[in-house]
Amino acid sequence: MEDALIIQGGKQLKGNVKVSGAKNVALKVIIASLLFDGEVVLKNIPKIADVFELLDLIQKLGGKAQFEGDHTVVVEGKGISKNRVDLLHGSKLRVSFMMFAPLLQRYSIVSVPNPGGCRIGARPIDRIIEGMQKLGIIVSYDSNSGYYTAKLDKPPSGNYRFYKPSHTGTELLIMLGMLAKSTVTISNAAQEPEIDELIAFLNAGGANIRKSQTTISISPSSKNLRLNEPFTIGGDRNEAVTFATLAVATKGDITVSGLSLKLIASYLNELKKVGAGVETINQNDFRVFYRGALNPTKVETSPHPGFMTDWQPNLAVLMTQAKGESVIIERVFENRFSYVSELRRLGAEIEFIRLPINNPLEYFFFNFDPSKKYNQAIKITGPQALHGGVLTVSDLRAGATLAIAALIAEGESVVNGLSILERGYENFAEKITSLGGEIEKV
C-alpha cells in the first residue's frame, strides 16, 4: 500500500450519501463506557482508524472493546488491569488523555502520555491540567518520559471555571465528576453538541448531570452506571460539511442524510450566503447543489454555535471558485493553515494577511503568546481553475480539503497520507465513487 489516493478531477458529484457516526462522539462514549458496570452496547460507531486504535488500546489495558456487527461496538471495563497507557497509543490518539477518568476510577495513580492526534496547534492542555487539579487530583509531568501522572487519594470534589472553553477539557472533567461524592460544577464550559451527546449518554446510564447554558453540574448518582439498552450516536457533522462542500465545488447536487441539520446550521447559512443552493428535506436530511457563480465571503472561526474551526479548510477550497476576494480568520488554533501551501500547488491564489486585532489575548481561543508571530488570516482570490498535482496531507480536516481540491481540479492528482484521512472518514473513496467521482486507493 502506498497510502495515497489517485483522483481524476473535474467530475460533477451527484446523488445521495449517508454520513457515518460522529467520530468525536464515538471516541468519547467508548471511553465513558468504561465507567459503567457491565457491558455497554453502542450503535452507529464509524469504522475509522481512530476508533480501531482506541479499541486496541482498551484491549491492551485488559478491557473488552470490539465491533460486534456492522457498526455496533461492545465495551466493558471490568477486566482493566493496567494503570498506564502505552506511549504508542498515546502518541496516535488525542483522546487517550481522557483515559484518566476510567483509570482513576480503578487506581489511585495513573500515567498517560502527552496526547497525540493532529498537530494543528499547541492545544490548551494547561486548562485541562488546572481543571483536574481544582478537583483535587495531583498531576505531574515528566518531560523525559513524556508522561503525565495523576494521583487521586480521595474522590474528586470542587468546582472549576475555564478561562477559555476547552472541548476536550469539558468532557474529561464531566467524566471525572462522575467519580465525585459531592456535586462538581464546571463553568464557562464548551458548548459543542458532542458534549450534549456525552451527557445524554451518561444520563441514560443513571448519571445526574444538568447543563444550563455554559454551566454543567455533575451530582452523585444513587447507583452505579448501567446501560440496559443500546445507545445510538448521531451522524458526523464534519463529514456532512465535506459532502455539502463537494456538491457546490464540483457544480453538483448531493443529498446528505443521517445528521441533525441544526448541528451544521452556521455552515449551511454560509453556503447560502455565497450563492449555493440549500434545501431542507427534513430535520435529518438536506440537499446542497450548485446554482451558479459563487460570491466571496469573510468568516472567522469560533467555538459552537459559531463557525467551526474544522470547517474553514472546506470553505477555503470552495472560495477558490468564488469571484472576488474572500477572507478566513482562524481564532481557535494557531496552526490550521497547513493546507495553504498544498492548495497553491494546484494553482490556488491564497496569501496570508495581517488584520488589526485590538486584544489578541481575548480574541483568540488558543494560548496567545505576544512574543510569537502568528499567521491567523488568509485572503483567497478567485475564481481559479485548479489543475492536478501531488499533495500531502498533514492533518485530518486538511486531508478532506485536499481531496475536495483534487476532485474539482482538472487532470490527475495524487493525495498522499490517506491513512490520516481515514482516521476520521469511513469509506471516503467508496462514497465519492457512488456519487460519480473518479477516485482510487493505492
Side-chain angles (χ1 to χ4, degrees), residues 129-311:
I129 298 302
E130 184 180 72
M132 294 174 67
Q133 292 171 335
K134 288 291 185 181
L135 299 189
I137 302 168
I138 301 170
V139 185
S140 59
Y141 180 66
D142 184 344
S143 59
N144 293 319
S145 67
Y147 269 83
Y148 285 91
T149 297
K151 183 178 180 182
L152 186 61
D153 294 325
K154 58 183 180 180
S157 62
N159 306 309
Y160 181 65
R161 177 180 177 82
F162 284 101
Y163 166 59
K164 292 183 179 180
S166 165
H167 188 161
T168 301
T170 296
E171 291 172 320
L172 177 56
L173 292 193
I174 288 172
M175 291 189 200
L176 290 170
M178 297 301 302
L179 312 182
K181 300 300 183 183
S182 57
T183 298
V184 169
T185 301
I186 306 167
S187 303
N188 198 27
Q191 297 299 294
E192 276 70 19
E194 291 84 2
I195 293 170
D196 293 333
E197 201 156 352
L198 174 63
I199 291 173
F201 169 65
L202 291 168
N203 282 343
N208 185 10
I209 305 172
R210 298 181 306 279
K211 181 171 177 281
S212 176
Q213 297 181 334
T214 62
T215 300
I216 299 172
S217 298
I218 307 102
S219 298
S221 304
S222 58
K223 55 184 179 180
N224 293 338
L225 295 179
R226 179 174 291 274
L227 199 67
N228 297 319
E229 300 290 336
F231 185 86
T232 302
I233 72 169
D236 195 299
R237 57 187 178 135
N238 292 317
E239 185 183 5
V241 161
T242 296
F243 284 104
T245 305
L246 275 166
V248 186
T250 64
K251 299 183 179 179
D253 189 334
I254 299 176
T255 296
V256 182
S257 62
L259 177 90
S260 174
L261 268 65
K262 66 182 181 180
L263 300 183
I264 59 169
S266 60
Y267 195 82
L268 294 181
N269 288 337
E270 196 60 41
L271 287 183
K272 293 176 184 177
K273 282 172 54 181
V274 302
V278 179
E279 176 185 304
T280 299
I281 299 173
N282 56 51
Q283 64 178 3
N284 295 310
D285 303 86
F286 63 96
R287 173 186 170 219
V288 179
F289 54 97
Y290 181 77
R291 289 199 311 187
L294 299 176
N295 307 313
T297 190
K298 178 180 179 180
V299 299
E300 58 180 53
T301 65
S302 63
H304 188 81
F307 193 92
M308 189 178 182
T309 178
D310 286 2
W311 301 340

Side-chain angles (χ1 to χ4, degrees), residues 297-301 307-309 311-319 325-331 337 339 350-353 355 363 375-380:
T297 190
K298 178 180 179 180
V299 299
E300 58 180 53
T301 65
F307 193 92
M308 189 178 182
T309 178
W311 301 340
Q312 61 96 338
N314 289 266
L315 186 67
V317 71
L318 182 60
M319 288 300 94
E325 295 180 346
S326 298
V327 173
I328 296 177
I329 306 168
E330 175 57 50
R331 298 174 61 196
F337 288 122
Y339 61 85
I350 306 175
E351 62 179 303
F352 288 98
I353 58 174
L355 295 175
Y363 181 75
N375 288 316
Q376 295 305 123
I378 58 173
K379 180 176 71 175
I380 306 158

Side-chain angles (χ1 to χ4, degrees), residues 339-416:
Y339 61 85
V340 168
S341 59
E342 299 299 301
L343 290 185
R344 286 171 173 167
R345 293 174 185 269
L346 304 188
E349 188 176 333
I350 306 175
E351 62 179 303
F352 288 98
I353 58 174
R354 295 287 177 190
L355 295 175
I357 305 296
N358 293 328
N359 189 348
L361 291 173
E362 292 294 330
Y363 181 75
F364 293 111
F365 291 93
F366 56 86
N367 292 344
F368 184 86
D369 183 349
S371 67
K372 292 183 178 180
K373 181 180 178 181
Y374 295 95
N375 288 316
Q376 295 305 123
I378 58 173
K379 180 176 71 175
I380 306 158
T381 303
Q384 292 292 324
L386 302 184
H387 54 75
V390 179
L391 305 169
T392 301
V393 175
S394 58
D395 70 74
L396 173 57
R397 303 306 167 193
T401 296
L402 299 184
I404 294 171
L407 285 160
I408 67 177
E410 288 297 328
E412 182 176 277
S413 294
V414 176
V415 181
N416 292 306

Side-chain angles (χ1 to χ4, degrees), residues 414-429:
V414 176
V415 181
N416 292 306
L418 173 61
S419 58
I420 298 176
L421 182 66
E422 290 182 333
R423 286 186 48 226
Y425 288 84
E426 180 180 9
N427 296 330
F428 181 79

